[in-house]
Amino acid sequence: VVNGAKEVLVTLADHKEYKARIVGTDPQTDLAVLKINAHETFPACPLGNSDALKVGDWVVAIGNPFGLDRTVTAGIVSAKGRVIGAGPYDNFLQTDAAINPGNSGGPLLNMQGQVIGINTAIVAQGHGIGFAIPVNTVKPLIPQLETKGKVTRGFLGVSIQTLTPPLAKSLNLPDTHGALVADVNPDTPAARAGIKRGDVIIAFNGKDVPDSQSLPTMVAATPVGQEAKVTVKRNGDTLELPVKIGELPSQRADNGNPAGAVEPATGKWGLQLRDLNPQIAAQLNLKTDQGVVVAGVQPGSKAAESGVLPGDVILEVNRQPVKTVADVAAKLNGARDKDQPLLLVQRQNGKLFIPLLENVG
């Protein structure tokens, strides 16, 4: 709401207007703190405990939908811990209290008049599907925004992905519990601690990591410089690795799709492959012998159903590096029928494992 604003005005219920100063912002959680200077005391809503909410609890939303000021709507908590693709710290309250454009930044209240969320998003195609940032996510960030103008988060230095049943099968894991390490960035706390690609992080500082959505929030909340214990599964063994948490660097822009659309792919898996040229390799900070570009994916093919995208760069097949199209073809064609080929691909700035599904449709 305040991003790019040259001037911010705060209008109160009695229609008095005040110029506001943006004290701090945190794009990762879509939060901002504003300050107004006035010679009077304003009433304030108390902050509640969003962790205590239960699905089915009644809530009230207040805002200015479509410019209709002081609009109040009511509903229930429809779900907790929703992941909507807004960022690495997705953890939203879902409500069916009517939320529309103009409600963003307004409070979501419980029946005691306590703020338990900040309204932030809707599903445009749906009705009664709105989302709010839990107030317990907001509370620890406010002091940092007030004093530093930004939020400092803990940093591990890994790219993680969801451990799906096909991935678990390819990696010989008994279940999908934990966060799969798809890549470890060099010269980061994770690299120095000995965390490796293919590890599955199952606990962080003694707390269970049930899935990939849980880990970023745990790491981010850990003070910079503090030593944490990361428990991983590796080749059937369980290891506990001490790691000194670093500071999350600012986010860099994506490189975009490095290959672009080409003619339909062919072959058993539906992949059209191309050796890395110097231009694409430079964009991705790779050498020309460090992978093979997916130039096209045939719609409806096994590769498409498995989630391979044009522009992906295949770095490994079945945990073995590949340098040329011939390498990839040989490893895929040499796999036994009962085997499920496992690809490691680079997609934009991150890496992820993709098992090629044999049975699709």
Side-chain angles (χ1 to χ4, degrees):
V1 175
V2 301
N3 185 38
K6 294 182 179 179
E7 185 179 59
V8 178
L9 293 177
V10 173
T11 303
L12 304 185
D14 60 4
H15 300 293
K16 288 183 180 179
E17 285 190 348
Y18 296 88
K19 284 188 177 181
R21 178 171 63 91
I22 301 174
V23 175
T25 61
D26 181 40
Q28 299 279 11
T29 52
D30 198 23
L31 293 172
V33 171
L34 306 179
K35 179 178 175 60
I36 61 175
N37 293 318
H39 302 290
E40 53 187 299
T41 301
F42 298 109
C45 287
L47 302 183
N49 179 9
S50 54
D51 289 345
L53 284 174
K54 296 179 180 178
V55 173
D57 283 352
W58 281 93
V59 289
V60 170
I62 299 178
N64 302 322
F66 302 108
L68 301 170
D69 63 332
R70 290 175 288 174
T71 295
V72 179
T73 55
I76 62 169
V77 176
S78 304
K80 298 175 64 177
R82 281 293 194 220
V83 176
I84 63 173
Y89 310 111
D90 273 16
N91 176 31
F92 291 94
L93 299 172
Q94 181 182 330
T95 179
D96 66 353
I99 294 175
N100 290 285
N103 276 108
S104 293
L108 189 68
L109 308 163
N110 60 18
M111 292 296 98
Q112 287 73 48
Q114 299 169 328
V115 179
I116 46 82
I118 297 177
N119 305 320
T120 189
I122 59 173
V123 174
Q125 306 92 327
H127 297 282
I129 304 177
F131 301 98
I133 305 165
V135 76
N136 285 16
T137 297
V138 179
K139 286 178 183 177
L141 304 184
I142 293 175
Q144 294 192 58
L145 290 173
E146 289 179 335
T147 58
K148 298 188 293 184
K150 64 177 184 177
V151 175
T152 301
R153 290 185 168 86
F155 174 64
L156 196 56
V158 295
S159 297
I160 57 172
Q161 68 181 99
T162 300
L163 194 56
T164 62
L167 266 176
K169 179 181 177 182
S170 296
L171 295 169
N172 295 317
L173 295 170
D175 52 43
T176 59
H177 183 272
L180 174 62
V181 177
D183 193 29
V184 180
N185 298 326
D187 195 28
T188 60
R192 290 188 285 270
I195 297 174
K196 296 182 179 180
R197 181 190 301 148
D199 286 350
V200 177
I201 299 176
I202 58 173
F204 182 82
N205 257 350
K207 294 183 179 179
D208 181 56
V209 178
D211 50 46
S212 61
Q213 282 79 35
S214 306
L215 184 63
T217 302
M218 293 180 181
V219 175
T222 307
V224 175
Q226 179 175 306
E227 186 173 284
K229 293 181 180 179
V230 179
T231 306
V232 305
K233 281 186 178 180
R234 180 187 299 168
N235 299 326
D237 298 324
T238 300
L239 308 175
E240 192 172 82
L241 305 174
V243 55
K244 186 176 181 180
I245 299 299
E247 180 178 342
L248 181 69
S250 58
Q251 299 297 305
R252 294 176 298 178
D254 288 338
N255 287 326
N257 188 330
V262 293
E263 64 272 16
T266 57
K268 175 182 177 181
W269 300 101
L271 286 169
Q272 183 179 43
L273 305 175
R274 180 181 299 160
D275 289 335
L276 269 178
N277 61 40
Q279 291 78 20
I280 295 176
Q283 288 178 15
L284 298 174
N285 198 27
L286 296 171
K287 296 179 181 178
T288 53
D289 64 350
Q290 283 186 308
V292 174
V293 177
V294 177
V297 181
Q298 183 177 356
S301 66
K302 296 175 181 180
E305 293 289 342
S306 301
V308 182
L309 300 178
D312 286 349
V313 176
I314 300 175
L315 304 176
E316 295 179 359
V317 177
N318 291 333
R319 309 302 297 273
Q320 298 295 316
V322 291
K323 298 181 178 180
T324 64
V325 171
D327 283 347
V328 176
K331 287 181 170 57
L332 289 179
N333 294 334
R336 295 172 297 178
D337 290 338
K338 67 177 182 178
D339 291 339
Q340 185 176 45
L342 180 66
L343 307 182
L344 175 70
V345 307
Q346 178 156 334
R347 181 173 296 168
Q348 297 179 348
N349 289 327
K351 296 181 177 67
L352 67 156
F353 287 103
I354 298 179
L356 289 177
L357 304 177
E358 184 65 51
N359 299 315
V360 297

